[in-house]
Amino acid sequence: MNLDWRICSRARVTRDARFDGKFFIAVLSTRIYCRPICPVRTVKESSVRYYPSAAAAAEAGFRPCLRCRPESCPGTPAWLGTSNTVSRALRLIGESGIEDGGVEVLADRLGIGSRHLRRLFLRHLGATPIAVAQTRRLHFAKKLIDETRLPMNQVALASGFGCVRRFNAGIRKVYKRTPTQIRRLARLKEIQSENQYLFRLHYRPPYHWEGILAFLAARVTPGLEVVEGESYRRTISWDGRDGYFEVSPDPQRDALVVRIEFSDPHSLIFIIERIRAMFDLNADWEAIVRSLRTDPLLAGPVKADPGLRVPGCWNGFELAVRAILGQQITVKGANALAGRMISSFGKPFFATNGLTHLFPQPEVLADAKIASIGLPAARAETIRALARAVCNGRISFEGVVDSDAFLNRLCEIPGIGKWTAQYVAMRALAEPDAFPIGDLGLLRATALISSRELERRAESWRPWRAYAAMYLWRMGGRRVPRAIAHSLLKDSA
Ligand SMILES: [Zn+2]
């Protein structure tokens, strides 16, 4: 474990929110573990231990604090030093938990032995993959108890406990209270109607909400997404059911407020995980800024607008289709096309808040007459080919372990080139180092003439080139949309 106790100690004493979720503090006398921001009076250094994950603290026999609620801290940063494998494993656990077959299956998907995977987890997180998955499940159960009015049997199922008895026993063992006693402590104030859930998802500050919202607002698909005031909402489907969510900022609490309307509570854990990824909530700004601010070009913008994130997406297929729709036209034009696409091929959605459709499924687009929305025949064929590849399993946006192999497969589709692939890597695979080289907006913002020069310059931004791209696009301001369209021109050429 590579925790620097001096850094931990300083963060603990100053209750530094930038370190929230990066390590946990266990108090020897009370046997309780806390987040660095815990409001409870601090104890002396010799009475605490530091752990790199909540699971590690739990494995060492400590219980989560009821005041600072370790279950609601920002997630483990995606970038764990040198261990890409652990990051990927965490992503897979986040996407689908540890499935039947357990660690063996997980290790197999990552292409390594299960013993090696266990060793990597112990080294970087101080806990085994199973312990990490169990803690995650328990924390989610606690979140549902505190933040929703779901009946306890539903909480048990939604957090993956299987049965109520195991859930009760699990909660009791860790919290020394029954689920009902815990809910009484939470005293939920917000009134929530049936199938509506309200969650607070925390991040490590700073978080540039305005920047991420502006980026999404510029690319809104009418009927599918709405940006209104400070909030963003969109329709979603999961496991054959439909719903929507709405996100707005709560900067006082370093959190985003998420309202989800969805009829199946069992999917909440995955929906929330996806929203966390979409809004890049696990990012570790301290690590990112260290490499970006050394370049004089980025130092100013980074200082002026700290905390800009890389917006992910709800659905990788949708994002890739949107990127193809945008080839050779302005972002505004692409938005209009996307609006026509969902009204022609998307499933209608009935709500009174501006949301009218769901994004069409690959099965629908695979042989749809897409050109009818005003799209050149070649580009319509590119979208159909992508949809077919998703239908026949050649391409899957879920559970991507080997990004390079995935992107190579994507580029085999005529009409999808490097720019689109890097853009997809950046937003659908959450690759922090993805970088759409050749993008005119980036070239303009950097005042460099050739993409080779840009590539060289970007070397020093690794492994955070995606964040650098966000700043450069932001610097490019209004010219960016056209620039993106221009660079996509290369792809389709
Ligand atoms: Zn605490």
Side-chain angles (χ1 to χ4, degrees):
M1 284 182 260
N2 35 17
L3 276 185
D4 183 335
W5 73 267
R6 277 161 307 190
I7 293 175
C8 293
S9 176
R10 210 177 316 130
R12 177 179 78 93
V13 174
T14 56
R15 298 198 175 96
D16 193 334
R18 292 172 307 169
F19 291 86
D20 195 8
K22 287 175 73 174
F23 71 90
F24 294 83
I25 304 152
V27 181
L28 296 173
S29 56
T30 57
R31 305 302 297 170
I32 280 173
Y33 72 89
C34 287
R35 296 156 67 181
I37 57 148
C38 187
V40 176
R41 197 167 52 89
T42 52
V43 294
K44 60 179 191 298
E45 193 64 32
S46 59
S47 330
V48 300
R49 294 286 177 274
Y50 299 112
Y51 290 96
S53 67
E59 287 285 276
F62 294 93
R63 286 182 287 123
C65 172
L66 289 168
R67 284 287 297 280
C68 63
R69 305 175 59 230
E71 69 274 10
S72 48
C73 76
T76 309
W79 192 263
L80 288 163
T82 53
S83 186
N84 234 334
T85 310
V86 176
S87 312
R88 298 222 153 100
L90 284 176
R91 202 195 296 165
L92 291 179
I93 293 174
E95 279 176 16
S96 51
I98 287 194
E99 296 158 64
D100 300 340
V103 184
E104 306 293 325
V105 173
L106 181 66
D108 208 45
R109 285 181 72 189
L110 293 160
I112 57 171
S114 60
R115 274 223 200 132
H116 183 47
L117 181 63
R118 216 166 275 135
R119 262 200 307 274
L120 284 176
F121 262 67
L122 285 169
R123 192 191 311 152
H124 291 277
L125 299 170
T128 62
I130 291 281
V132 167
Q134 274 169 350
T135 301
R136 177 176 171 273
R137 190 172 70 184
L138 191 87
H139 280 185
F140 189 68
K142 174 73 162 40
K143 217 168 157 50
L144 291 178
I145 296 171
D146 280 348
E147 300 182 30
T148 73
R149 291 185 195 277
L150 267 186
M152 292 303 177
N153 61 340
Q154 294 286 320
V155 174
L157 292 175
S159 47
F161 274 92
C163 72
V164 179
R165 202 154 44 89
R166 261 173 62 201
F167 161 72
N168 281 334
I171 293 287
R172 248 196 147 125
K173 182 166 167 243
V174 171
Y175 290 97
K176 304 276 180 245
R177 285 172 173 79
T178 65
T180 317
Q181 285 169 329
I182 292 176
R183 182 164 276 175
R184 225 171 280 142
L185 282 175
R187 282 187 230 101
L188 194 67
K189 281 179 212 80
E190 287 109 347
I191 294 162
Q192 299 181 18
S193 54
E194 208 186 343
N195 297 337
Q196 270 219 13
Y197 307 95
L198 193 71
F199 294 99
R200 266 191 184 75
L201 307 183
H202 293 257
Y203 51 75
R204 278 174 283 273
Y207 188 97
H208 204 283
W209 171 254
E210 184 243 310
I212 202 164
L213 190 68
F215 187 91
L216 294 172
R219 292 159 183 79
V220 149
T221 301
L224 182 88
E225 301 170 284
V226 173
V227 170
E228 204 170 54
E230 281 273 83
S231 71
Y232 167 89
R233 69 175 164 267
R234 63 157 297 145
T235 57
I236 54 173
S237 42
W238 191 277
D239 260 354
R241 290 173 197 247
D242 311 327
Y244 73 90
F245 70 77
E246 183 175 287
V247 180
S248 49
D250 183 0
Q252 270 79 42
R253 297 202 225 184
D254 292 331
L256 298 183
V257 179
V258 178
R259 185 182 294 278
I260 302 173
E261 185 161 308
F262 201 76
S263 60
D264 180 12
H266 303 164
S267 305
L268 283 175
I269 191 166
F270 304 114
I271 293 174
I272 286 180
E273 196 65 30
R274 210 167 267 200
I275 296 173
R276 291 195 64 88
M278 184 171 171
F279 289 89
D280 199 11
L281 293 181
N282 294 351
D284 180 8
W285 178 248
E286 280 306 289
I288 297 165
V289 74
R290 227 176 289 140
S291 86
L292 298 193
R293 71 176 158 216
T294 56
D295 190 317
L297 181 73
L298 292 172
V302 162
K303 200 172 171 201
D305 288 328
L308 189 59
R309 305 298 165 103
V310 176
C313 64
W314 169 256
N315 179 293
F317 172 68
E318 175 189 319
L319 180 86
V321 170
R322 282 287 331 237
I324 298 165
L325 280 180
Q327 291 177 353
Q328 299 186 19
I329 54 171
T330 61
V331 164
K332 227 176 167 185
N335 293 346
L337 271 181
R340 285 207 290 280
M341 171 177 261
I342 66 148
S343 60
S344 305
F345 307 110
K347 185 172 151 194
F349 181 79
F350 303 98
T352 51
N353 52 14
L355 301 175
T356 59
H357 286 82
L358 294 139
F359 196 80
Q361 297 290 326
E363 295 77 24
V364 174
L365 292 184
D367 45 21
K369 291 194 171 60
I370 302 174
S372 65
I373 61 168
L375 199 64
R379 231 164 307 141
E381 185 43 41
T382 300
I383 292 174
R384 267 195 303 269
L386 172 69
R388 280 194 302 269
V390 171
C391 288
N392 67 27
R394 173 102 185 115
I395 285 179
S396 168
F397 288 89
E398 259 102 86
V400 174
V401 172
D402 185 342
S403 301
D404 291 337
F406 171 87
L407 296 175
N408 285 338
R409 278 199 300 277
L410 198 62
C411 288
E412 283 168 10
I413 294 171
I416 295 187
K418 273 212 172 104
W419 191 96
T420 312
Q422 284 297 309
Y423 188 70
V424 167
M426 189 175 159
R427 295 198 55 201
L429 307 185
E431 286 292 343
D433 204 32
F435 193 63
I437 289 164
D439 181 274
L440 274 186
L442 298 180
L443 286 172
R444 252 182 239 165
T446 46
L448 296 169
I449 325 147
S450 73
S451 31
R452 192 168 302 164
E453 262 180 273
L454 177 60
E455 196 168 0
R456 218 169 308 141
R457 179 76 177 245
E459 275 305 305
S460 65
W461 305 331
R462 282 179 184 274
W464 308 111
R465 292 186 303 176
Y467 292 85
M470 287 302 296
Y471 275 101
L472 294 174
W473 279 335
R474 200 172 158 76
M475 284 157 68
R478 293 186 173 276
R479 282 175 304 168
V480 173
R482 187 170 285 277
I484 291 176
H486 275 252
S487 49
L488 279 164
L489 202 130
K490 287 193 169 162
D491 272 8
S492 50

